[in-house]
Structure formats: C-alpha cells, structure tokens
Amino acid sequence: QVQLVESGGGLVQAGGSLRLSCAASGRVFSSHTMGWYRQAPGKQRELVARITSSGSTNYADSLKGRFTISRDNAKNTVYLQMNSLKPEDTAVYKCNAHLPWVAYENGYWGQGTQVTVSS
C-alpha cells in the first residue's frame, strides 16, 4: 500500500505561482511512477505531469514551460512547481503513484488539493 497526501494548494492571482507537494508513505516510493492529474468542474480528469523512477518526465502539451515536476526519493515526495498560473488552471489536483507495469488508473491516489486562480 502507498498513502499519498497532497499539500500546497490555495488561492492565487493570475500570473502567480504555487508549489504542490505530495508526500508518500508505505511501500517503496522510488520504484513508482508519480504523476499529477487535475480535474476542473464539468471537465474530465487530465494529466498534468508525471515522472518515472529514473527521473524521466512528460507533461501535458499545454502546460510545458509553466509547470515542472520533480521528485525527492529521500523524502518520498513529489513536487509540482506551477508558474504563470492562469484562471483555466483552476482545478482539484491529485497525486498518483503506480508501478510501471500497472495502469495509472489502478494506482494510488491522494485526496486532492484545490488550486484556484483568480483573474
């Protein structure tokens, strides 16, 4: 079992920055692919960014250059640095962990943290 706890969400003005954290506990963290997903009201969940155990990253095309995902295996934590935030970034952001051979949908999820960007 892996438990995930997100933090760092909140209300920010457009153009501002936030850093989300996801602290993992339980089974080995370093072997899991970690990801951030978001869901806005009335919209489907979408990938924001993910990072593999080796540090390879990929991002939603629309977010490249503004968001950065990173991980600290010693602290069992994954981060999402979000810059130049826009109102359309408003959503619940959830952390995900899954082993490479497991579909991310069947992995572990945090409870989510709300990010609200005001115009």
Side-chain angles (χ1 to χ4, degrees):
Q1 284 282 357
V2 175
Q3 292 80 40
L4 305 173
V5 178
E6 301 100 333
S7 61
L11 174 64
V12 64
Q13 288 188 333
S17 298
L18 283 175
R19 188 175 82 154
L20 305 183
S21 299
C22 173
S25 61
R27 298 184 67 180
V28 177
F29 167 83
S30 60
S31 56
H32 286 71
T33 293
M34 303 298 298
W36 287 96
Y37 294 78
R38 70 184 185 183
Q39 188 165 18
K43 295 187 177 181
Q44 289 191 333
R45 181 177 62 198
E46 63 175 350
L47 170 71
V48 174
R50 57 178 167 239
I51 183 167
T52 68
S53 58
S54 62
S56 296
T57 59
N58 66 292
Y59 297 86
D61 287 342
S62 62
L63 301 177
K64 287 180 181 176
R66 293 195 298 124
F67 289 14
T68 303
I69 190 171
S70 61
R71 66 191 295 164
D72 185 337
N73 289 338
K75 295 182 178 180
N76 283 1
T77 301
V78 62
Y79 304 97
L80 183 69
Q81 179 67 43
M82 306 185 293
N83 298 327
S84 301
L85 283 162
K86 304 175 181 180
E88 51 264 42
D89 295 318
T90 295
V92 174
Y93 285 70
K94 288 192 173 183
C95 180
N96 172 268
H98 67 92
L99 291 166
W101 53 88
V102 175
Y104 82 92
E105 298 94 333
N106 298 326
Y108 301 96
W109 292 90
Q111 81 287 353
T113 186
Q114 176 70 46
V115 171
T116 302
V117 184
S118 63
S119 57

